[in-house]
């Protein structure tokens, strides 16, 4: 009983400090934030109280600035139903990847998770004040359609259908499907729906839980392509002229997409393929 009373009082005190004395709380967070994250992921009794205390970087704030889930929700649009996050080794690596493109184009804020425990925390909490917490690389994220840049050259419907079919056949052992989507603005490709577990983020959490010797099965995932990207347009023409080189490009695009999603288990094959591509270029 004493344990419960002390824990509740201390968590209430921390919550009050985080609202009234933000700078003081952030000093506390810099020392003990990792323990609060671990608590939010493992202590189901006080999960909601601990979730209030979490702090992350965000696309809405300058680098180094932190925000909580309540402040994120205050900035949300009235029709936004999820709290979105992305995981990466650093803020820079997340911003350089393809998954933020769709969110930036729609003005949607994304929390940036850069500690290894962050993904496990988010996948464990799952919901905060009736808002689902979802990785922005998840297929479950529903995006409103936006007007495409009509000035950009794009593949026609028949070309897209033909390329998707060819890519699916070429990469059949590695992906379940190839499609176009509303995520990509500038990047040529991205991975969605890894294992049907909500996206690449969930697969990474499973890998963390299993450890390096866990032996994750090959993911069932989709490859999304951007018909306006010059690499995709070039691949569409190349597959009919030089199939071996087109196969090389297709596999390299897939590995690049896996790397962007932090799902590339072994880079040796990708490195060997890049040397093949360089050899072709230099021999031409």
């Amino acid at each position: 009983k004493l344990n419960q009373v002390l824990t509740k009082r201390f968590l209430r005190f921390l919550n009050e400090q985080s609202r009234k004395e933000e700078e003081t709380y952030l000093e506390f967070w810099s020392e003990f934030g990792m323990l609060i994250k671990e608590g939010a992921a493992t202590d189901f009794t006080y999960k909601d109280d601990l979730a209030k205390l979490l702090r992350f970087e965000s696309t809405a704030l300058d680098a180094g600035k932190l925000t909580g889930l309540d402040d994120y929700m205050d900035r949300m649009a009235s029709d936004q139903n999820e709290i979105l996050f992305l995981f990466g080794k650093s803020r820079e690596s997340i911003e350089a990847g393809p998954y933020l493109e769709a969110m930036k184009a729609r003005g949607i804020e994304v929390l940036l998770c850069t500690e290894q425990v962050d993904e496990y925390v988010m996948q464990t909490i799952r919901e905060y004040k009736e808002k689902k917490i979802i990785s922005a690389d998840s297929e479950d994220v529903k995006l409103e359609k936006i007007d495409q840049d009509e000035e950009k050259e794009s593949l026609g419907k028949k070309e897209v259908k033909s390329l998707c079919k060819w890519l699916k056949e070429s990469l059949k052992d590695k992906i379940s499907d190839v499609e176009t989507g509303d995520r990509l603005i500038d990047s040529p490709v991205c991975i969605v729906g890894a294992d049907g577990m909500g996206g690449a983020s969930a697969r990474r959490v499973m890998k963390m839980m299993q450890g390096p010797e866990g032996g994750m099965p090959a993911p069932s995932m989709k490859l999304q392509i951007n018909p306006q990207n010059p690499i995709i347009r070039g691949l569409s023409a190349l597959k009919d002229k030089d199939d071996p080189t087109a196969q090389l490009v297709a596999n390299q695009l897939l590995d690049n997409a896996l790397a962007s999603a932090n799902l590339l288990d072994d880079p040796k094959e990708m490195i060997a393929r890049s040397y093949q591509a360089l050899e072709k270029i230099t021999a031409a």
Side-chain angles (χ1 to χ4, degrees), residues 58-235:
S58 165
T59 55
L61 304 175
D62 295 334
K65 300 288 185 180
L66 301 179
T67 189
L69 297 178
D70 285 315
D71 290 334
Y72 177 100
M73 290 182 64
D74 288 342
R75 293 189 292 266
M76 284 172 55
S78 58
D79 58 348
Q80 184 177 335
N81 297 316
E82 301 99 2
I83 296 171
L84 299 179
F85 73 93
L86 273 174
F87 174 78
K89 294 179 180 178
S90 66
R91 181 184 181 117
E92 291 75 17
S93 68
I94 299 173
E95 291 178 333
Y99 296 106
L100 273 185
E101 294 178 6
M103 309 307 157
K104 284 183 177 179
R106 294 165 175 81
I108 300 174
E109 180 180 356
V110 179
L111 297 174
L112 306 175
C113 301
T114 55
E115 299 285 347
Q116 192 167 10
V117 71
D118 287 347
E119 275 193 301
Y120 185 53
V121 171
M122 293 303 211
Q123 294 288 343
T124 303
I125 297 174
R126 292 184 176 273
E127 188 174 299
Y128 184 76
K129 295 185 177 179
E130 300 183 353
K131 296 288 185 181
K132 290 183 178 181
I133 299 175
I134 302 180
S135 176
D137 64 18
S138 171
E139 198 174 20
D140 295 334
V141 176
K142 305 302 179 186
L143 298 172
E144 290 185 4
K145 287 191 174 293
I146 57 175
D147 295 331
Q148 289 187 327
D149 188 347
E150 296 181 358
E151 294 183 2
K152 281 188 177 180
E153 190 176 346
S154 178
L155 295 176
K157 290 184 179 180
K158 288 184 178 179
E159 292 172 309
V160 168
K161 185 177 180 180
S162 174
L163 180 59
C164 287
K165 181 181 178 182
W166 179 84
L167 280 168
K168 186 176 180 180
E169 291 172 354
S170 301
L171 305 170
K172 58 185 176 182
D173 295 330
K174 300 178 180 179
I175 57 171
S176 62
D177 203 2
V178 182
E179 62 184 18
T180 59
D182 299 318
R183 293 178 174 275
L184 297 167
I185 307 298
D186 297 312
S187 298
V189 292
C190 73
I191 293 294
V192 294
D195 288 343
M197 295 189 300
S201 176
R203 179 174 174 81
R204 288 192 296 270
V205 170
M206 290 294 291
K207 286 179 68 177
M208 280 192 288
M209 293 172 65
Q210 292 187 353
E213 306 299 327
M216 285 287 290
S220 172
M221 57 194 174
K222 296 178 183 178
L223 182 70
Q224 283 196 353
I225 64 171
N226 180 1
Q228 292 188 328
N229 185 273
I231 296 175
I232 297 301
R233 298 202 316 269
L235 180 60

Side-chain angles (χ1 to χ4, degrees), residues 245 248 271-284:
T245 302
L248 198 67
I271 293 170
R273 190 185 306 108
S274 67
Y275 285 140
Q276 281 183 272
L278 289 171
E279 186 178 346
K280 277 183 171 288
I281 293 170
T282 54

